Amino acid sequence: MPTSPALRRMADFDLGPEQRAVRETVREFAEKEILPHVERHEREERYPTELVAKLVPMGLIAPMIPEEYGGSFVDVVTYGIICEELARVDWVVASVVSVMNSLVVSSIRAHGTEAQRERWLPPMARGEVLCSACLTEPGGGTDLGNLRTTARKVDGGYRIEGTKVFISHAAHAGLFLVVATLDRSRKHRGVTAFLVDPRSTAGITIRDFPMRTLKRDNLAEVHFEDAFVPDDALLGEEGGGFPVLGAALDMGRFSVAARCVGQAQRCLDLAIPYATLREAFGQKIGEFQMIQQKIADMVCRTEAARQVVYRLGRMKDAGIERATLEASLAKLMASEAATQNALDAIQIHGGYGLSAEYEVGRLLLEAKALEFGEGTSELHRKLVAEFALGIRKQ
Ligand SMILES: Cc1cc2nc3c(=O)[nH]c(=O)nc-3n(C[C@H](O)[C@H](O)[C@H](O)COP(=O)(O)OP(=O)(O)OC[C@H]3O[C@@H](n4cnc5c(N)ncnc54)[C@H](O)[C@@H]3O)c2cc1C
């Protein structure tokens, strides 16, 4: 929600009263309960376990889990607003909600058996089980049809062998959504999805995946060494990993894009008061046209991204199963808006933009990271161009 009343009206114009109320509630909660701890956690490189626990009584941990499984099910646009408002204050807390509700819950709802839904969804809704998506490998994350992690059929289950990298939340998760190939020669038709309990599966080792920044996220390498998973860990069919991911893909891109809108908004919310207070040459820097141009560009990017994200949410609420083009547009526009807004916000702060005293410097690397997850900008440009040229239909 933008700083000034005029911007606020624009952002909220097409939301219903309940959606606006959710935004107010989540924003107030996030600013009061989460924001005051984020910079300290950043300095301590600490995963926000206590902050995630606070989401549970608020019903914010499981907005995509149906009520019959203990969730607080809401419409997709409202889910986007939750992701947006959480990401506006904390990248990591928003990531916990979005990985769980988009990638994992969507896959289980669309392709899980009733037994899998009953086993996994209620503890997730109670906040007892967090989730990780184990997709990316050292050899690459974009070309998922070319996986090297293998699953070998054995009596009563499968043996998984391979390494996943960049895995968010892995050391804290009670459920991994893992993709592995049953037969590399079959390319994407060999890719198979599994629901793996990392706490009770022998042969899984989780190691720190050192990052230059984003250390609060505790990214991990996950090694599967002949790890046995039972038959009922199979999600969907053998070789059906791509349809499983496909069901989750639009939702994954939606929630990441919504998070990017929140981050783009945060940059604006920090840059506007700074430009209003800071003085140079006897006037407020917000009176200089070059600063005003940056503020205007930041507003344009944020609003444009928000509209394409909400449109995707409304399409999903209308029951449109695949919205690949709209999902790519939303993810591409919102993630690049967040990065560019962070750059502009840093510039408006001058040297302080990179000081530990101000938040904007941290926002840049967090925004940049969201240009990779759920498909890189290059992948989405490729998809958008292929739709535009008629090379791709869906
Ligand atoms: C902070 C963070 C958190 C993450 N969390 C997770 C997680 O929880 N689970 C998980 O599985 N992964 C996670 N990832 C990994 C992320 O999904 C991958 O980084 C991403 O999929 C890209 O894969 P890659 O890094 O191996 O790049 P590559 O696939 O090696 O690509 C390298 C470059 O080539 C470009 N490229 C590739 N193919 C094409 C093409 N066809 N046309 C044009 N350009 C192309 C890419 O866009 C990129 O610029 C995370 C990453 C980060 C940074």
Side-chain angles (χ1 to χ4, degrees), residues 91-230:
W91 192 83
V92 188
V93 168
S95 166
V96 169
V97 173
S98 108
V99 170
M100 180 192 288
N101 286 274
S102 291
L103 285 175
V104 183
V105 171
S106 298
S107 308
I108 295 178
R109 281 177 59 202
H111 291 273
T113 61
E114 191 47 39
Q116 286 172 327
R117 290 188 199 120
E118 279 171 12
R119 174 172 178 197
W120 291 113
L121 298 181
M124 284 156 71
R126 291 193 295 272
E128 294 160 10
V129 164
L130 304 186
C131 302
S132 289
C134 300
L135 313 177
T136 305
E137 302 188 343
T142 308
D143 185 7
L144 281 179
N146 196 21
L147 290 178
R148 287 175 190 277
T149 299
T150 55
R152 180 167 51 88
K153 184 75 188 95
V154 293
D155 260 3
Y158 300 82
R159 296 251 170 215
I160 301 180
E161 181 83 33
T163 297
K164 301 287 181 177
V165 288
F166 285 109
I167 307 306
S168 303
H169 319 298
H172 310 271
L175 175 60
F176 286 175
L177 171 67
V178 180
V179 287
T181 178
L182 286 173
D183 180 355
R184 281 200 79 206
S185 68
R186 297 188 65 210
K187 294 272 183 183
H188 66 276
R189 286 192 204 86
V191 174
T192 304
F194 298 92
L195 294 173
V196 177
D197 178 349
R199 292 171 184 158
S200 68
T201 305
I204 296 182
T205 313
I206 299 167
R207 293 203 192 105
D208 187 34
F209 187 73
M211 297 289 281
R212 185 165 296 284
T213 177
L214 307 167
K215 293 182 189 289
R216 278 182 303 136
D217 199 13
N218 274 186
L219 289 189
E221 281 179 16
V222 179
H223 300 271
F224 297 87
E225 284 155 289
D226 213 24
F228 175 80
V229 297

Side-chain angles (χ1 to χ4, degrees), residues 24-42:
E24 290 294 335
T25 308
V26 181
R27 175 166 287 212
E28 197 186 318
F29 161 80
E31 288 193 342
K32 196 164 148 228
E33 301 291 340
I34 297 178
L35 184 59
H37 306 281
V38 175
E39 283 291 316
R40 181 170 46 84
H41 284 193
E42 178 74 5

Side-chain angles (χ1 to χ4, degrees), residues 332-354:
L332 178 62
M333 286 175 65
S335 60
E336 294 194 349
T339 303
Q340 197 53 54
N341 274 17
L343 281 169
D344 281 347
I346 290 171
Q347 197 66 24
I348 289 169
H349 279 70
Y352 289 101
L354 296 179

